[in-house]
mmCIF file of all heavy atoms in Angstrom:
data_model
loop_
_atom_site.group_PDB
_atom_site.id
_atom_site.type_symbol
_atom_site.label_atom_id
_atom_site.label_comp_id
_atom_site.label_asym_id
_atom_site.label_seq_id
_atom_site.Cartn_x
_atom_site.Cartn_y
_atom_site.Cartn_z
ATOM 1 N N ARG B 54 119.184 57.471 157.147
ATOM 2 C CA ARG B 54 119.015 56.540 156.030
ATOM 3 C C ARG B 54 119.645 57.029 154.756
ATOM 4 O O ARG B 54 120.425 56.323 154.117
ATOM 5 C CB ARG B 54 117.525 56.342 155.761
ATOM 6 C CG ARG B 54 116.844 55.629 156.870
ATOM 7 C CD ARG B 54 115.362 55.832 156.750
ATOM 8 N NE ARG B 54 114.710 54.803 157.532
ATOM 9 C CZ ARG B 54 114.206 53.707 157.021
ATOM 10 N NH1 ARG B 54 114.224 53.511 155.723
ATOM 11 N NH2 ARG B 54 113.666 52.816 157.788
ATOM 12 N N SER B 58 123.015 55.573 152.979
ATOM 13 C CA SER B 58 122.799 54.987 151.657
ATOM 14 C C SER B 58 123.777 55.599 150.650
ATOM 15 O O SER B 58 124.421 54.888 149.876
ATOM 16 C CB SER B 58 121.353 55.221 151.230
ATOM 17 O OG SER B 58 121.101 54.629 149.993
ATOM 18 N N THR B 136 116.673 61.041 144.235
ATOM 19 C CA THR B 136 117.109 59.644 144.294
ATOM 20 C C THR B 136 116.048 58.753 144.936
ATOM 21 O O THR B 136 115.952 57.569 144.620
ATOM 22 C CB THR B 136 118.452 59.463 145.034
ATOM 23 O OG1 THR B 136 118.367 60.060 146.324
ATOM 24 C CG2 THR B 136 119.597 60.090 144.264
ATOM 25 N N GLN B 137 115.228 59.325 145.819
ATOM 26 C CA GLN B 137 114.136 58.530 146.404
ATOM 27 C C GLN B 137 113.115 58.178 145.321
ATOM 28 O O GLN B 137 112.669 57.035 145.225
ATOM 29 C CB GLN B 137 113.465 59.318 147.535
ATOM 30 C CG GLN B 137 112.262 58.611 148.151
ATOM 31 C CD GLN B 137 112.638 57.395 148.991
ATOM 32 O OE1 GLN B 137 113.607 57.445 149.744
ATOM 33 N NE2 GLN B 137 111.899 56.309 148.865
ATOM 34 N N LEU B 140 114.574 55.493 143.086
ATOM 35 C CA LEU B 140 114.604 54.140 143.660
ATOM 36 C C LEU B 140 113.184 53.564 143.729
ATOM 37 O O LEU B 140 112.997 52.354 143.548
ATOM 38 C CB LEU B 140 115.297 54.142 145.032
ATOM 39 C CG LEU B 140 114.572 54.593 146.293
ATOM 40 C CD1 LEU B 140 113.823 53.444 146.946
ATOM 41 C CD2 LEU B 140 115.575 55.142 147.292
ATOM 42 N N ASP B 141 112.201 54.436 143.965
ATOM 43 C CA ASP B 141 110.815 53.959 143.930
ATOM 44 C C ASP B 141 110.457 53.473 142.522
ATOM 45 O O ASP B 141 109.865 52.405 142.349
ATOM 46 C CB ASP B 141 109.859 55.077 144.359
ATOM 47 C CG ASP B 141 109.982 55.412 145.842
ATOM 48 O OD1 ASP B 141 110.436 54.545 146.614
ATOM 49 O OD2 ASP B 141 109.631 56.540 146.229
ATOM 50 N N ALA B 142 110.836 54.281 141.528
ATOM 51 C CA ALA B 142 110.526 53.895 140.147
ATOM 52 C C ALA B 142 111.243 52.600 139.783
ATOM 53 O O ALA B 142 110.678 51.723 139.125
ATOM 54 C CB ALA B 142 110.938 55.017 139.187
ATOM 55 N N PHE B 143 112.495 52.478 140.208
ATOM 56 C CA PHE B 143 113.248 51.255 139.906
ATOM 57 C C PHE B 143 112.574 50.044 140.539
ATOM 58 O O PHE B 143 112.425 48.995 139.900
ATOM 59 C CB PHE B 143 114.688 51.395 140.414
ATOM 60 C CG PHE B 143 115.496 50.150 140.206
ATOM 61 C CD1 PHE B 143 115.960 49.817 138.948
ATOM 62 C CD2 PHE B 143 115.772 49.294 141.259
ATOM 63 C CE1 PHE B 143 116.695 48.661 138.742
ATOM 64 C CE2 PHE B 143 116.500 48.135 141.061
ATOM 65 C CZ PHE B 143 116.956 47.812 139.794
ATOM 66 N N THR B 144 112.136 50.194 141.799
ATOM 67 C CA THR B 144 111.490 49.085 142.498
ATOM 68 C C THR B 144 110.194 48.692 141.787
ATOM 69 O O THR B 144 109.908 47.513 141.596
ATOM 70 C CB THR B 144 111.198 49.485 143.958
ATOM 71 O OG1 THR B 144 112.405 49.992 144.540
ATOM 72 C CG2 THR B 144 110.710 48.313 144.764
ATOM 73 N N MET B 145 109.421 49.697 141.373
ATOM 74 C CA MET B 145 108.160 49.393 140.676
ATOM 75 C C MET B 145 108.426 48.733 139.334
ATOM 76 O O MET B 145 107.768 47.765 138.963
ATOM 77 C CB MET B 145 107.349 50.682 140.484
ATOM 78 C CG MET B 145 106.748 51.200 141.776
ATOM 79 S SD MET B 145 105.677 52.625 141.496
ATOM 80 C CE MET B 145 106.807 53.943 141.847
ATOM 81 N N HIS B 148 109.314 45.088 139.666
ATOM 82 C CA HIS B 148 108.242 44.173 140.042
ATOM 83 C C HIS B 148 107.108 44.122 139.032
ATOM 84 O O HIS B 148 106.411 43.118 138.943
ATOM 85 C CB HIS B 148 107.665 44.587 141.398
ATOM 86 C CG HIS B 148 108.527 44.164 142.549
ATOM 87 N ND1 HIS B 148 108.390 42.950 143.171
ATOM 88 C CD2 HIS B 148 109.556 44.788 143.159
ATOM 89 C CE1 HIS B 148 109.293 42.843 144.131
ATOM 90 N NE2 HIS B 148 110.018 43.937 144.146
ATOM 91 N N VAL B 174 109.330 63.748 148.772
ATOM 92 C CA VAL B 174 109.257 62.436 148.117
ATOM 93 C C VAL B 174 108.111 62.435 147.110
ATOM 94 O O VAL B 174 108.252 61.999 145.964
ATOM 95 C CB VAL B 174 109.079 61.322 149.163
ATOM 96 C CG1 VAL B 174 108.891 59.980 148.488
ATOM 97 C CG2 VAL B 174 110.268 61.277 150.114
ATOM 98 N N ASN B 178 108.348 62.170 143.091
ATOM 99 C CA ASN B 178 107.711 61.002 142.508
ATOM 100 C C ASN B 178 106.675 61.363 141.457
ATOM 101 O O ASN B 178 106.590 60.715 140.412
ATOM 102 C CB ASN B 178 107.060 60.157 143.606
ATOM 103 C CG ASN B 178 107.904 58.943 143.951
ATOM 104 O OD1 ASN B 178 108.201 58.133 143.086
ATOM 105 N ND2 ASN B 178 108.302 58.831 145.198
ATOM 106 N N ILE B 226 101.061 51.175 145.516
ATOM 107 C CA ILE B 226 100.589 52.205 146.435
ATOM 108 C C ILE B 226 101.767 52.648 147.290
ATOM 109 O O ILE B 226 102.534 51.830 147.786
ATOM 110 C CB ILE B 226 99.411 51.692 147.296
ATOM 111 C CG1 ILE B 226 98.809 52.844 148.092
ATOM 112 C CG2 ILE B 226 99.812 50.555 148.224
ATOM 113 C CD1 ILE B 226 97.431 52.508 148.667
ATOM 114 N N MET B 227 101.924 53.951 147.375
ATOM 115 C CA MET B 227 103.059 54.523 148.090
ATOM 116 C C MET B 227 102.532 55.278 149.293
ATOM 117 O O MET B 227 101.811 56.262 149.140
ATOM 118 C CB MET B 227 103.756 55.474 147.120
ATOM 119 C CG MET B 227 105.139 55.874 147.475
ATOM 120 S SD MET B 227 105.734 56.959 146.176
ATOM 121 C CE MET B 227 105.858 55.832 144.798
ATOM 122 N N MET B 228 102.829 54.769 150.476
ATOM 123 C CA MET B 228 102.341 55.414 151.690
ATOM 124 C C MET B 228 103.396 56.409 152.167
ATOM 125 O O MET B 228 104.564 56.053 152.335
ATOM 126 C CB MET B 228 102.094 54.376 152.789
ATOM 127 C CG MET B 228 101.214 53.206 152.381
ATOM 128 S SD MET B 228 99.619 53.705 151.712
ATOM 129 C CE MET B 228 98.888 54.503 153.141
ATOM 130 N N ILE B 269 101.886 46.237 144.607
ATOM 131 C CA ILE B 269 102.926 46.273 145.640
ATOM 132 C C ILE B 269 102.776 47.517 146.518
ATOM 133 O O ILE B 269 102.131 48.493 146.135
ATOM 134 C CB ILE B 269 104.341 46.230 145.029
ATOM 135 C CG1 ILE B 269 104.552 47.384 144.056
ATOM 136 C CG2 ILE B 269 104.597 44.898 144.353
ATOM 137 C CD1 ILE B 269 105.986 47.545 143.599
ATOM 138 N N ILE B 270 103.361 47.430 147.713
ATOM 139 C CA ILE B 270 103.256 48.498 148.705
ATOM 140 C C ILE B 270 104.638 49.105 148.932
ATOM 141 O O ILE B 270 105.597 48.392 149.216
ATOM 142 C CB ILE B 270 102.722 47.942 150.044
ATOM 143 C CG1 ILE B 270 101.341 47.333 149.832
ATOM 144 C CG2 ILE B 270 102.710 49.014 151.118
ATOM 145 C CD1 ILE B 270 100.882 46.481 151.003
ATOM 146 N N LEU B 271 104.720 50.435 148.800
ATOM 147 C CA LEU B 271 105.990 51.113 149.031
ATOM 148 C C LEU B 271 105.853 52.117 150.176
ATOM 149 O O LEU B 271 104.757 52.632 150.441
ATOM 150 C CB LEU B 271 106.444 51.871 147.781
ATOM 151 C CG LEU B 271 106.747 51.046 146.524
ATOM 152 C CD1 LEU B 271 105.544 51.041 145.613
ATOM 153 C CD2 LEU B 271 107.958 51.569 145.795
ATOM 154 N N HIS B 272 106.956 52.379 150.839
ATOM 155 C CA HIS B 272 107.004 53.395 151.886
ATOM 156 C C HIS B 272 108.432 53.904 151.942
ATOM 157 O O HIS B 272 109.367 53.100 151.976
ATOM 158 C CB HIS B 272 106.592 52.779 153.233
ATOM 159 C CG HIS B 272 106.329 53.817 154.298
ATOM 160 N ND1 HIS B 272 107.311 54.656 154.763
ATOM 161 C CD2 HIS B 272 105.204 54.147 154.979
ATOM 162 C CE1 HIS B 272 106.784 55.466 155.685
ATOM 163 N NE2 HIS B 272 105.512 55.183 155.839
ATOM 164 N N PRO B 273 108.645 55.230 151.940
ATOM 165 C CA PRO B 273 110.018 55.732 151.927
ATOM 166 C C PRO B 273 110.728 55.561 153.265
ATOM 167 O O PRO B 273 111.953 55.721 153.337
ATOM 168 C CB PRO B 273 109.857 57.214 151.579
ATOM 169 C CG PRO B 273 108.474 57.558 152.007
ATOM 170 C CD PRO B 273 107.664 56.324 151.853
ATOM 171 N N GLY B 274 109.998 55.259 154.310
ATOM 172 C CA GLY B 274 110.595 55.094 155.628
ATOM 173 C C GLY B 274 110.993 56.439 156.220
ATOM 174 O O GLY B 274 111.129 57.408 155.498
ATOM 175 N N SER B 292 104.684 43.877 150.392
ATOM 176 C CA SER B 292 105.452 45.052 150.778
ATOM 177 C C SER B 292 106.865 44.925 150.251
ATOM 178 O O SER B 292 107.532 43.911 150.426
ATOM 179 C CB SER B 292 105.432 45.174 152.302
ATOM 180 O OG SER B 292 106.588 45.823 152.734
ATOM 181 N N VAL B 293 107.349 45.973 149.579
ATOM 182 C CA VAL B 293 108.715 45.950 149.044
ATOM 183 C C VAL B 293 109.578 46.966 149.785
ATOM 184 O O VAL B 293 110.581 47.441 149.274
ATOM 185 C CB VAL B 293 108.719 46.246 147.532
ATOM 186 C CG1 VAL B 293 108.026 45.126 146.771
ATOM 187 C CG2 VAL B 293 108.053 47.568 147.231
ATOM 188 N N ILE B 294 109.168 47.268 151.006
ATOM 189 C CA ILE B 294 109.786 48.374 151.748
ATOM 190 C C ILE B 294 111.250 48.093 152.059
ATOM 191 O O ILE B 294 112.100 48.977 151.947
ATOM 192 C CB ILE B 294 108.962 48.656 153.024
ATOM 193 C CG1 ILE B 294 107.553 49.123 152.609
ATOM 194 C CG2 ILE B 294 109.632 49.702 153.890
ATOM 195 C CD1 ILE B 294 106.532 49.156 153.713
ATOM 196 N N VAL B 295 111.569 46.863 152.407
ATOM 197 C CA VAL B 295 112.970 46.538 152.701
ATOM 198 C C VAL B 295 113.796 46.547 151.414
ATOM 199 O O VAL B 295 114.930 47.025 151.378
ATOM 200 C CB VAL B 295 113.069 45.171 153.413
ATOM 201 C CG1 VAL B 295 114.524 44.814 153.667
ATOM 202 C CG2 VAL B 295 112.307 45.211 154.725
ATOM 203 N N GLU B 296 113.198 46.048 150.342
ATOM 204 C CA GLU B 296 113.909 46.049 149.065
ATOM 205 C C GLU B 296 114.211 47.473 148.593
ATOM 206 O O GLU B 296 115.232 47.726 147.941
ATOM 207 C CB GLU B 296 113.067 45.315 148.013
ATOM 208 C CG GLU B 296 113.834 45.021 146.744
ATOM 209 C CD GLU B 296 112.924 44.640 145.605
ATOM 210 O OE1 GLU B 296 111.999 43.838 145.828
ATOM 211 O OE2 GLU B 296 113.138 45.149 144.501
ATOM 212 N N GLN B 297 113.298 48.413 148.935
ATOM 213 C CA GLN B 297 113.544 49.806 148.557
ATOM 214 C C GLN B 297 114.882 50.293 149.104
ATOM 215 O O GLN B 297 115.586 51.064 148.459
ATOM 216 C CB GLN B 297 112.424 50.714 149.095
ATOM 217 C CG GLN B 297 111.142 50.639 148.297
ATOM 218 C CD GLN B 297 110.059 51.482 148.948
ATOM 219 O OE1 GLN B 297 109.354 51.020 149.839
ATOM 220 N NE2 GLN B 297 109.930 52.720 148.525
ATOM 221 N N VAL B 298 115.220 49.840 150.307
ATOM 222 C CA VAL B 298 116.471 50.297 150.921
ATOM 223 C C VAL B 298 117.669 49.805 150.110
ATOM 224 O O VAL B 298 118.581 50.576 149.790
ATOM 225 C CB VAL B 298 116.561 49.810 152.380
ATOM 226 C CG1 VAL B 298 117.888 50.232 152.992
ATOM 227 C CG2 VAL B 298 115.396 50.352 153.191
ATOM 228 N N SER B 299 117.681 48.520 149.730
ATOM 229 C CA SER B 299 118.838 48.045 148.961
ATOM 230 C C SER B 299 118.848 48.637 147.560
ATOM 231 O O SER B 299 119.911 48.947 147.019
ATOM 232 C CB SER B 299 118.901 46.513 148.928
ATOM 233 O OG SER B 299 117.643 45.986 148.693
ATOM 234 N N ASN B 300 117.661 48.836 146.977
ATOM 235 C CA ASN B 300 117.622 49.499 145.675
ATOM 236 C C ASN B 300 118.123 50.935 145.777
ATOM 237 O O ASN B 300 118.659 51.485 144.813
ATOM 238 C CB ASN B 300 116.202 49.486 145.112
ATOM 239 C CG ASN B 300 115.778 48.089 144.683
ATOM 240 O OD1 ASN B 300 116.610 47.206 144.510
ATOM 241 N ND2 ASN B 300 114.486 47.884 144.526
ATOM 242 N N GLY B 301 117.924 51.544 146.955
ATOM 243 C CA GLY B 301 118.401 52.910 147.156
ATOM 244 C C GLY B 301 119.904 53.004 146.981
ATOM 245 O O GLY B 301 120.417 53.941 146.357
ATOM 246 N N VAL B 302 120.631 52.036 147.497
ATOM 247 C CA VAL B 302 122.088 52.044 147.334
ATOM 248 C C VAL B 302 122.440 51.922 145.848
ATOM 249 O O VAL B 302 123.291 52.651 145.327
ATOM 250 C CB VAL B 302 122.736 50.906 148.153
ATOM 251 C CG1 VAL B 302 124.235 50.854 147.910
ATOM 252 C CG2 VAL B 302 122.458 51.095 149.642
ATOM 253 N N ALA B 303 121.750 51.031 145.146
ATOM 254 C CA ALA B 303 122.053 50.822 143.719
ATOM 255 C C ALA B 303 121.749 52.074 142.893
ATOM 256 O O ALA B 303 122.514 52.450 142.000
ATOM 257 C CB ALA B 303 121.269 49.621 143.189
ATOM 258 N N VAL B 304 120.612 52.741 143.206
ATOM 259 C CA VAL B 304 120.262 53.971 142.475
ATOM 260 C C VAL B 304 121.325 55.040 142.708
ATOM 261 O O VAL B 304 121.722 55.774 141.788
ATOM 262 C CB VAL B 304 118.880 54.492 142.930
ATOM 263 C CG1 VAL B 304 118.733 55.974 142.673
ATOM 264 C CG2 VAL B 304 117.781 53.729 142.225
ATOM 265 N N ARG B 305 121.815 55.118 143.939
ATOM 266 C CA ARG B 305 122.809 56.160 144.238
ATOM 267 C C ARG B 305 124.157 55.814 143.619
ATOM 268 O O ARG B 305 124.897 56.701 143.186
ATOM 269 C CB ARG B 305 122.882 56.366 145.752
ATOM 270 C CG ARG B 305 121.590 57.040 146.195
ATOM 271 C CD ARG B 305 121.273 57.072 147.648
ATOM 272 N NE ARG B 305 119.967 57.725 147.787
ATOM 273 C CZ ARG B 305 118.947 57.239 148.498
ATOM 274 N NH1 ARG B 305 119.073 56.115 149.157
ATOM 275 N NH2 ARG B 305 117.799 57.886 148.531
#
Side-chain angles (χ1 to χ4, degrees):
Chain B
R54 293 163 161 261
S58 182
T136 54
Q137 176 71 42
L140 79 88
D141 291 337
F143 177 75
T144 308
M145 288 185 263
H148 282 271
V174 175
N178 258 302
I226 188 165
M227 197 179 292
M228 308 305 296
I269 57 170
I270 300 166
L271 297 97
H272 192 296
S292 152
V293 294
I294 297 167
V295 178
E296 192 195 316
Q297 283 176 274
V298 177
S299 44
N300 289 343
V302 176
V304 156
R305 290 166 182 130

